[in-house]
Amino acid sequence: MCELLGMSANVPTDIRFSFTGLMQRGGRTGPHRDGWGITFYEDQGCRTIKDPAPCCDSPIAKLVQACPIKSRAVIGHIRQANRGPVALKNTHPFTREQWGRFWTFAHNGQLTDYQALQQSGKHLPVGDTDSETAFCWLLNELDRKYPHKPANMQAMFRYLGELCLQLQQFGIVNILLSDGDYLFSFCSNTLHWLTRRAPFGLARLIDEDVAIDFNQETTANDVVTVIATLPLTSNEQWHKMEAGYYLLFKNGECVGDSA
Amino acid sequence: MCELLGMSANVPTDIRFSFTGLMQRGGRTGPHRDGWGITFYEDQGCRTIKDPAPCCDSPIAKLVQACPIKSRAVIGHIRQANRGPVALKNTHPFTREQWGRFWTFAHNGQLTDYQALQQSGKHLPVGDTDSETAFCWLLNELDRKYPHKPANMQAMFRYLGELCLQLQQFGIVNILLSDGDYLFSFCSNTLHWLTRRAPFGLARLIDEDVAIDFNQETTANDVVTVIATLPLTSNEQWHKMEAGYYLLFKNGECVGDSA
């Protein structure tokens, strides 16, 4: 089991509050001691900060907390290793270029007997995880169907949702995927989300004695969606995603789903 | 013009001394104010820290200086923008997966009328630079000749050297490329290198009043090669690379060249 964190926003937004909650689960309030990583998009560019050391006492994680990096799309992950040893190459998120954009992927769950996914294609895994193998399989299948950038992105994401259902044959696949514009989430069994918009209020973390008044941090037009394996705050209404379904976000708004 | 920094070593080695010299050229002793980046390999995994802000006063660059990241292969770059605006997506080094390994690339120079390089292939540029276009062209040409991982890596690098000569038709291409094992360097007009090994001595930076006694930092078996656009230290013997030639390093030793 690992923990996922995703953000989609209509303005560059500081993720530090949510990251603070998540990183406590990286060895302190949770068992995920086997590395962590976070990818921030800035338009089409992205930066990934990752470390195979436990998140809760990583100096690099403390740096992320100290840096006011603002982004419209973020994917974060903390790892409890099951497939593949603890190493930088096995640390999520994973990024590949497809259709001239960087796609970033993180996975919660575990796959078994997934050799069928290790077929040939444009994208090959570098590390040893089931997760990176699944990511490359997804991109290779998308590339086969869409050798060039899809004109209809909604249709592509519907196809991606079908591929995720196929992946479920091999185990649990809670997935976050982004190209910096879209944030795609697929739920096998546990993903929760909420959208913050005006009127903003106070939010209180579950894992750390920290609260934030988003009124002070935002403008009236900000729309920010946060997705996490489990709710990060105690006093807000999180939606549980339905098993076997996907949700698609852009600029903080839900713009597509399995229905 | 940009500045390049490469390292190849037989043991995980701290690059901070050389990086300290380079970063001064990012806006203080040099004009390269348009971003900087550095990629550290840990076995097959790699981490890239980059920022479109000037290196000399970047808080993230100061973080790199504070973090004792040790690596056997490093590629660093500071940028003076000529093709493509200042943005994260245009900031070197660039990384792509090829043959199940991450390949990282940085370029000094400028290309003109390089539309012929923007042909189709597995790898597409994400940003707007001539450099990333050249990188994708190199990988696409390698992929065409070697659809699977080459059995003879020396032959692959010889072919890469020929491709670099073709690239020179479009302008200056001082290039560093690594997969974490090999460090390939091609010189159009300015690249310098040195290999440090026992007996180690004192090294004094040109760009900053800093000296280091490598005797204190190394063991007798350490072999570390550093490559830079221009020499970084004032009291060591740097070798100037010959124009139109490549050098290939592994574990700090030169293991191949154009000859």
Side-chain angles (χ1 to χ4, degrees), chain A residues 42 44-48 50-52 60 63 67 88-89 96-97 99-102 122-126, chain B residues 42 44-48 50-52 60 63 67 88-89 96-97 99-102 122-126:
Chain A
E42 287 180 25
Q44 293 99 53
C46 64
R47 65 174 88 237
T48 296
K50 57 168 77 172
D51 204 8
I60 301 178
L63 166 89
C67 265
L88 187 58
K89 67 178 173 181
R96 291 291 189 281
E97 175 263 311
W99 307 313
R101 295 291 290 262
F102 291 119
K122 190 168 144 176
H123 302 282
L124 294 177
V126 173
Chain B
E42 288 180 24
Q44 292 100 53
C46 64
R47 64 175 88 237
T48 296
K50 56 167 80 173
D51 204 10
I60 302 179
L63 167 89
C67 266
L88 187 59
K89 68 178 174 182
R96 291 289 189 284
E97 175 264 311
W99 306 314
R101 294 291 290 260
F102 291 120
K122 188 168 144 177
H123 302 282
L124 293 176
V126 172

Side-chain angles (χ1 to χ4, degrees), chain B residues 3-181:
Chain B
E3 296 258 356
L4 297 173
L5 173 66
M7 188 190 77
S8 168
N10 65 343
V11 290
T13 299
D14 188 339
I15 190 78
R16 281 181 292 174
F17 175 72
S18 298
F19 183 70
T20 297
L22 189 79
M23 72 181 282
Q24 301 307 317
R25 298 180 187 174
R28 202 175 67 86
T29 62
H32 318 89
R33 297 193 59 84
D34 301 325
W36 61 278
I38 188 163
T39 298
F40 303 89
Y41 278 89
E42 288 180 24
D43 297 322
Q44 292 100 53
C46 64
R47 64 175 88 237
T48 296
I49 303 170
K50 56 167 80 173
D51 204 10
C55 189
C56 65
D57 42 39
S58 160
I60 302 179
K62 288 191 177 64
L63 167 89
V64 173
Q65 282 193 295
C67 266
I69 298 173
K70 292 195 173 189
S71 181
R72 285 174 46 246
V74 173
I75 288 185
H77 183 270
I78 54 178
R79 178 165 186 241
Q80 184 177 14
N82 46 54
R83 304 269 182 246
V86 177
L88 187 59
K89 68 178 174 182
N90 293 331
T91 306
H92 305 223
F94 303 106
T95 299
R96 291 289 189 284
E97 175 264 311
Q98 174 70 22
W99 306 314
R101 294 291 290 260
F102 291 120
W103 290 83
T104 296
F105 173 91
H107 169 222
N108 157 302
Q110 188 169 343
L111 307 183
T112 47
D113 300 327
Y114 56 95
Q115 289 71 18
L117 302 177
Q118 285 155 333
Q119 51 188 295
S120 65
K122 188 168 144 177
H123 302 282
L124 293 176
V126 172
D128 319 302
T129 62
D130 50 355
S131 305
E132 194 190 11
T133 299
F135 176 40
C136 291
W137 180 81
L138 287 172
L139 286 186
N140 286 333
E141 292 298 315
L142 288 176
D143 184 60
R144 257 184 275 278
K145 190 168 172 92
Y146 301 100
H148 302 286
K149 194 186 170 187
N152 183 339
M153 291 295 276
Q154 289 280 355
M156 185 278 285
F157 283 113
R158 272 197 299 279
Y159 183 59
L160 180 59
E162 292 166 22
L163 294 173
C164 289
L165 284 170
Q166 291 182 44
L167 266 186
Q168 276 200 133
Q169 298 167 17
F170 302 96
I172 300 291
V173 280
N174 300 304
I175 280 174
L176 295 179
L177 184 73
S178 180
D179 70 340
D181 278 335

Side-chain angles (χ1 to χ4, degrees), chain A residues 13-135:
Chain A
T13 300
D14 188 337
I15 189 78
R16 280 181 292 173
F17 176 71
S18 298
F19 183 70
T20 298
L22 189 79
M23 71 181 281
Q24 301 309 316
R25 298 180 187 173
R28 203 176 67 85
T29 61
H32 317 88
R33 296 193 59 85
D34 301 324
W36 62 277
I38 188 162
T39 298
F40 303 89
Y41 277 88
E42 287 180 25
D43 298 322
Q44 293 99 53
C46 64
R47 65 174 88 237
T48 296
I49 303 172
K50 57 168 77 172
D51 204 8
C55 191
C56 63
D57 42 38
S58 160
I60 301 178
K62 288 193 176 62
L63 166 89
V64 173
Q65 281 193 297
C67 265
I69 298 173
K70 292 194 173 191
S71 180
R72 285 173 46 247
V74 172
I75 288 184
H77 182 270
I78 52 177
R79 178 165 186 242
Q80 183 178 11
N82 46 54
R83 303 268 181 246
V86 177
L88 187 58
K89 67 178 173 181
N90 293 332
T91 306
H92 305 222
F94 303 106
T95 299
R96 291 291 189 281
E97 175 263 311
Q98 173 71 19
W99 307 313
R101 295 291 290 262
F102 291 119
W103 291 82
T104 296
F105 172 91
H107 168 223
N108 157 302
Q110 187 169 343
L111 307 183
T112 46
D113 299 326
Y114 56 95
Q115 288 71 18
L117 302 176
Q118 285 156 330
Q119 51 188 295
S120 65
K122 190 168 144 176
H123 302 282
L124 294 177
V126 173
D128 318 302
T129 61
D130 50 355
S131 305
E132 193 190 11
T133 299
F135 176 39

Side-chain angles (χ1 to χ4, degrees), chain B residues 7-11 13 72-73 181-183 193-197 222-226 248-255:
Chain B
M7 188 190 77
S8 168
N10 65 343
V11 290
T13 299
R72 285 174 46 246
D181 278 335
Y182 292 94
L183 177 65
W193 65 281
L194 60 71
T195 301
R196 295 186 182 117
R197 63 177 89 231
D222 293 10
V223 180
V224 181
T225 291
V226 176
L248 180 66
F249 297 90
K250 190 178 182 183
N251 295 323
E253 303 282 6
C254 185
V255 296

